[in-house]
Amino acid sequence: MPTEDEINEVMNQCFEAESDGRSRWPGMSYEQGVLAAIRWLKEGDCHPLED
């Protein structure tokens, strides 16, 4: 499971991408992003912002 610091880092990266208007995954649906984040929080095996 990710640590609080790891979660905060991902949140900061998301806030920065949103404010810059530059998504690394413009073709990903909202639902795919939510699933990636939940998998990371529950299983910790796939960082949601890595390729």
Side-chain angles (χ1 to χ4, degrees):
M1 292 183 64
T3 66
E4 189 73 26
D5 287 341
E6 290 171 321
I7 293 169
N8 289 335
E9 177 60 29
V10 168
M11 288 178 61
N12 288 335
Q13 290 175 4
C14 290
F15 290 137
E16 288 174 14
E18 185 177 38
S19 67
D20 291 346
R22 297 185 203 174
S23 174
R24 289 177 56 190
W25 298 274
M28 180 180 265
S29 71
Y30 176 80
E31 290 81 4
Q32 289 171 316
V34 170
L35 282 173
I38 291 171
R39 283 187 188 122
W40 179 59
L41 290 171
K42 290 184 77 171
E43 301 164 13
D45 63 343
C46 57
H47 192 285
L49 296 180
E50 291 180 358
D51 294 335

